[in-house]
Amino acid sequence: MQKVDLIATATFGLESVVAEEVKNLGYENVTVDNGKVMFSADLSAIPKTNLWLRTADRIRLKIGEFKATTFDELFEQTKALPWADWIPENATFPVEGKSVKSTLFSVPDCQAIVKKAVVESLKKTYKTEWFAETGPLFKIEVALLKDVATLTIDTTGAGLHKRGYRELIGAAPLKETMAAALILLSRWKPDRVLVDPFCGSGTIPIEAALIGQNIAPGMNREFVAESWPIIPKNLWRDARAETHDLAQYDRKLEIIGTDIDEDILRVARHNAQEAGVDDQIHFQRMAMNELRSKRKYGYIICNPPYGERLGDYNQAERLYKEMGNVFRELDTWSYYVITSHEEFEKYFGRQASKKRKLYNGNLKVDYYQFFGPRPPRPKQDAPNHSLI
């Protein structure tokens, strides 16, 4: 089967999480750079990675890479790439661009030159002077970084965070890809209770349920490369069939989402229903300071107000103090908090076991991780039949 070079783009700070996901799908020779994870695979990786990657932004097909400090170099080397191997005669092929620390800094000029070069390349194969561009979409990107041009085609379409379940959202929503990353970074296990006391529109609980039941995040959406004639339809059909075969719909989970706003909880319930995991999540109206649990071991993963986007900064600090008091009572639990407040630990009253810098959109945030004790292992001669 044809080999391809793929790039899974990633939010800054999540590259290692995306790389681990790619490796877990069985792909080797994975390399990591700022904002991207690169790997080689066969053609079936385009459907598989689009369907399964939870934390990547999109999957790009790499066509070529070269140094270019002049427009002539950019044109000639782009023209020399095998565009007709991928792009059919009737394709629609717009060009996007970006340039960072490069001699060729004018993005519109670079886009225009790449477009012209691709047209000239396709002319040689299809023996025509004009392309109607009425067919499937092949969105090309020219990315210049320190005078190195990377030419790719987007295989995803709408970003991978668009799972298809979140028709309704609340204020300051957390992207689905980021929510999934927070859960994967926590090393949460599906046999442990998970609580989000600021669940909003339900993104963290829903992503946890998808992970807990091994449901592919892209199972219920479409991808732009599904319309590409170069990828056999059976590859998409087989990849989608595998998502159903591997899903563990019978696994019972204990996931709880609480919020003080009943209106936003209605949105959360609707989103969970759209995702097909509403029977695995209990949403409840509750103030954070009412949080209690009889469970000995559990996880709290949450995205509380930062004070920058919602509400008042001082109000957020008072909330963090209250969180510290409430969470302290759950002294055998592990809890994970994402916030942009640089003095969160001071108000929370405890130093994190680990802190990780991330970006929520364009906002720099820290992921504060507080590790609780590990639960004792069950005795081998006494099998444990309980899931929670």
Side-chain angles (χ1 to χ4, degrees), residues 106-126:
S106 172
V107 173
D109 287 338
C110 292
Q111 290 174 248
I113 286 165
V114 167
K115 178 73 174 188
K116 183 178 179 182
V118 174
V119 168
E120 291 302 314
S121 177
L122 294 177
K123 279 182 180 180
K124 291 189 296 182
T125 299
Y126 297 119

Side-chain angles (χ1 to χ4, degrees), residues 5-284:
D5 292 323
L6 297 175
I7 299 174
T9 62
T11 299
F12 287 111
L14 295 184
E15 295 91 345
S16 64
V17 183
V18 174
E20 184 174 359
E21 281 200 272
V22 171
K23 292 173 185 176
N24 287 341
L25 289 176
Y27 302 113
E28 301 174 347
N29 300 320
V30 178
T31 57
V32 178
D33 204 346
N34 289 335
K36 59 185 179 180
V37 175
M38 297 152 287
F39 58 103
S40 297
D42 59 37
L43 207 56
S44 66
I46 292 177
K48 190 168 186 176
T49 53
N50 272 299
L51 285 163
W52 280 103
L53 291 183
R54 300 181 189 278
T55 59
D57 291 333
R58 58 182 62 250
I59 307 299
R60 293 189 178 279
L61 170 70
K62 182 179 172 182
I63 304 299
E65 188 172 90
F66 50 81
K67 187 171 182 178
T69 57
T70 68
F71 288 134
D72 283 344
E73 288 178 336
L74 180 62
F75 177 84
E76 292 299 336
Q77 294 191 77
T78 298
K79 181 182 173 182
L81 295 174
W83 297 103
D85 288 355
W86 292 96
I87 300 178
E89 185 176 355
N90 68 334
T92 302
F93 52 102
V95 178
E96 296 180 338
K98 58 184 179 182
S99 178
V100 178
K101 298 180 181 178
S102 295
T103 305
L104 302 177
F105 60 86
S106 172
V107 173
D109 287 338
C110 292
Q111 290 174 248
I113 286 165
V114 167
K115 178 73 174 188
K116 183 178 179 182
V118 174
V119 168
E120 291 302 314
S121 177
L122 294 177
K123 279 182 180 180
K124 291 189 296 182
T125 299
Y126 297 119
K127 312 300 182 186
T128 183
E129 291 297 313
W130 183 75
F131 296 93
E133 297 196 44
T134 56
L137 177 63
F138 291 76
K139 187 177 287 186
I140 299 168
E141 181 187 74
V142 51
L144 286 146
L145 175 62
K146 297 179 181 179
D147 294 332
V148 174
T150 304
L151 280 297
T152 61
I153 304 176
D154 173 42
T155 74
T156 301
L160 288 175
H161 70 284
K162 298 283 190 180
R163 316 289 206 216
Y165 66 75
R166 200 164 73 171
E167 298 176 6
L168 304 172
I169 59 174
L174 193 71
K175 273 190 176 181
E176 295 88 334
T177 44
M178 177 60 75
L182 300 184
I183 296 158
L184 294 177
L185 285 168
S186 78
R187 304 298 178 183
W188 169 71
K189 299 293 189 295
D191 61 349
R192 303 274 288 276
V193 61
L194 186 151
V195 178
D196 178 2
F198 305 95
C199 72
S201 57
T203 309
I204 290 176
I206 292 169
E207 289 297 319
L210 295 176
I211 291 169
Q213 292 193 323
N214 200 39
I215 297 173
M219 180 187 286
N220 296 315
R221 58 158 288 178
E222 296 179 347
F223 303 94
V224 69
E226 289 185 73
S227 64
W228 293 5
I230 191 67
I231 303 178
K233 296 297 183 184
N234 70 288
L235 293 186
W236 286 100
R237 186 173 61 249
D238 292 348
R240 287 192 179 277
E242 184 183 45
T243 65
H244 291 281
D245 292 341
L246 296 178
Q248 299 175 7
Y249 296 116
D250 294 334
R251 174 184 273 171
K252 297 301 180 185
L253 308 171
E254 189 173 14
I255 300 172
I256 300 166
T258 68
D259 204 283
I260 58 171
D261 186 342
E262 183 59 44
D263 290 337
I264 199 66
L265 286 173
R266 279 194 286 271
V267 172
R269 293 185 186 101
H270 174 85
N271 290 341
Q273 188 174 25
E274 289 294 312
V277 294
D278 51 311
D279 58 338
Q280 300 299 326
I281 307 171
H282 174 67
F283 289 109
Q284 181 177 344

